[in-house]
Amino acid sequence: MKHRMAFVFLFALMVAGCGQPAGEGSASPASASESRKQQQTVYRWKLITTWPKNLPGLGTAPVRMADRIRTMSNGRLDIKVYGAGELVGAFEVFDAVSQGTAQMGNGASYYWRGKLPIAAIFSTVPFGLTAQEMNGWLHYGGGMALWRELYQPFGVIPMAAGNTGVQMGGWFNKEINSLTDLEGLKMRIPGLGGEVLARVGGVPVSMPGSEVFSSLQTGVIDATEWVGPYNDLAFGLHTIARYYYYPGWHEPGPTIESIVNAEAWASLPADLQAIVETALRMTNDDVLAEFTARNAQALRMLVNDHGVQLRKFPDEVLIRLRTVSREVVAEMAGDDPLNRRILDSYDKFSTLVRSYHEITERAYINARVVRSDGGEANDGA
Ligand code: CA
């Protein structure tokens, strides 16, 4: 118990010191009797997700988080987690949390493209920020305040709840040797990446994860991306597609979002709000750690045990996709001042962090494999 208290205290300090304002509606000083009542109230929340129930990583993380919140709050905040389709469909999560059908929802902001196209920036941008960089922008570069401003009219407060790291490029049954191989290709690919694919002649399809396997198997789609080796192996995509392409240019570091109904949030006492924020920051970190380890293990299994053929997209294809990605993102501002501010903030941070990461992350990763003859060592040493 002593340990647990120290843990909560430490994390509360970290949250308080992180420079990010607490969610809107932080509790105002309550009277003594009100405060006592709040301490005795058990809050029962529903957390709906866009993922199949218990999907490794994305589906299991919110369950682990709810368990932690229950323990840290001594049972005062009891969150029940629902998989996609149990309470509402995957793509109805945002509206359901906005309307208060559920107090919390986990998903990815690019799923709300139909309602709020600019929201995609807070999940991932093709050829944009990596996981590490997204966390920098959201929590210390102004991104989170803009995300909250964007969702505020819907009565929803967003927070980061994980990141998968760079995803894989997807599963194909024919090789992609040039841009012409993308023409007419029906591919499940969400978010801005789908828009980019459309502009180079492909046919993007948006569908929740639960439909991916059967759609590829029955030929409704020709190709699909999903997440990375860990989740793709769980779906069995290697049993119905021949080639596994990289890199995931379209999702270089997608942030998993957790959204909270603003009224439900305001009804929580300050200590429970701090517990939720702390649990989310911990989950945000934990998911990336889990994906880093499990993806690496699963990739080895896919290649060694299942004979999956890895392919890298040709440079010609990546360069064209990168050019088109920049056009697609630049057009997103339109006439909307908030959209403009979001894109400006993202661009400014991107320029800043990229010049730093050129001489740190990239220089180091290059240094790890460089050989004196100019080639690359790939000896795993
Ligand atoms: Ca994906």
Side-chain angles (χ1 to χ4, degrees):
M1 191 61 198
K2 217 170 171 186
H3 262 94
R4 185 183 303 153
M5 290 304 289
F7 178 77
V8 170
F9 179 68
L10 182 66
F11 270 85
L13 269 182
M14 286 166 71
V15 168
C18 78
Q20 187 66 47
E24 283 135 74
S26 284
S28 51
S31 71
S33 68
E34 234 178 289
S35 163
R36 257 196 314 277
K37 205 174 127 202
Q38 281 186 331
Q39 292 298 321
Q40 289 159 0
T41 304
V42 173
Y43 297 82
R44 294 190 197 284
W45 279 18
K46 298 184 181 86
L47 190 165
I48 51 180
T49 71
T50 58
W51 329 113
K53 192 167 175 82
N54 291 324
L55 177 75
L58 300 176
T60 49
V63 175
R64 280 208 304 270
M65 184 184 76
D67 288 345
R68 270 183 206 120
I69 289 175
R70 199 175 297 112
T71 305
M72 287 198 285
S73 68
N74 200 19
R76 288 164 54 223
L77 181 52
D78 190 352
I79 301 176
K80 186 166 173 7
V81 178
Y82 296 84
E86 286 195 301
L87 216 56
V88 302
F91 290 171
E92 291 155 12
V93 165
F94 188 92
D95 287 343
V97 173
S98 174
Q99 289 153 12
T101 308
Q103 291 78 13
M104 247 178 133
N106 269 38
S109 62
Y110 55 44
Y111 287 149
W112 327 130
R113 260 183 97 203
K115 176 188 286 289
L116 267 179
I118 196 76
I121 300 293
F122 298 100
S123 54
T124 193
V125 172
F127 296 95
L129 300 176
T130 63
Q132 189 180 343
E133 293 165 349
M134 272 303 283
N135 279 324
W137 180 54
L138 289 174
H139 295 119
Y140 287 93
M144 185 61 77
L146 289 163
W147 198 4
R148 290 186 173 178
E149 187 177 344
L150 180 70
Y151 281 10
Q152 198 268 336
F154 302 92
V156 161
I157 301 166
M159 301 187 208
N163 199 304
T164 64
V166 180
Q167 296 202 350
M168 286 294 286
W171 297 89
F172 299 77
N173 272 313
K174 63 168 192 179
E175 287 193 62
I176 304 299
N177 294 315
S178 70
L179 282 161
T180 52
D181 291 321
L182 295 177
E183 281 170 22
L185 186 84
K186 262 182 109 173
M187 179 172 179
R188 184 271 180 189
I189 173 169
L192 297 170
E195 174 66 26
V196 174
L197 181 69
R199 292 204 192 179
V200 299
V203 184
V205 179
S206 189
M207 63 174 67
S210 55
E211 295 167 29
V212 167
F213 185 90
S214 62
S215 299
L216 184 60
Q217 192 178 35
T218 57
V220 172
I221 50 176
D222 305 316
T224 187
E225 68 80 58
W226 175 223
V227 180
Y230 181 34
N231 284 166
D232 295 8
L233 177 68
F235 268 13
L237 294 171
H238 58 286
T239 64
I240 50 169
R242 192 167 307 166
Y243 304 111
Y244 198 19
Y245 269 86
Y246 67 93
W249 57 274
H250 62 302
E251 298 203 56
T255 296
I256 307 306
E257 77 167 12
S258 195
I259 47 177
V260 183
N261 176 281
E263 275 180 36
W265 180 256
S267 76
L268 285 187
D271 63 333
L272 292 186
Q273 287 181 339
I275 285 172
V276 172
E277 284 188 316
T278 304
L280 274 162
R281 280 300 280 269
M282 193 274 185
T283 302
N284 190 44
D285 175 74
D286 191 48
V287 168
L288 183 59
E290 182 183 3
F291 272 91
T292 301
R294 301 279 183 245
N295 273 332
Q297 293 157 356
L299 180 66
R300 188 158 285 188
M301 279 178 70
L302 284 168
V303 172
N304 291 353
D305 304 342
H306 299 287
V308 164
Q309 297 194 44
L310 281 178
R311 293 283 187 279
K312 183 174 181 290
F313 287 120
D315 286 346
E316 173 209 6
V317 170
L318 288 173
I319 290 165
R320 180 72 190 136
L321 291 169
R322 193 175 68 205
T323 305
V324 175
S325 294
R326 289 192 180 135
E327 290 165 13
V328 166
V329 174
E331 288 167 19
M332 289 189 78
D335 297 330
D336 187 282
L338 177 55
N339 287 4
R340 182 76 271 160
R341 282 194 289 127
I342 290 168
L343 287 176
D344 284 350
S345 171
Y346 186 94
D347 282 347
K348 209 172 140 197
F349 188 82
S350 185
T351 305
L352 183 75
V353 81
R354 278 176 67 153
S355 58
Y356 174 62
H357 275 176
E358 276 299 305
I359 62 155
T360 50
E361 300 296 319
R362 191 160 95 111
Y364 170 67
I365 285 174
N366 287 347
R368 204 155 60 171
V369 295
V370 73
R371 289 192 321 221
S372 56
D373 63 4
E376 284 187 2
N378 195 14
D379 51 12

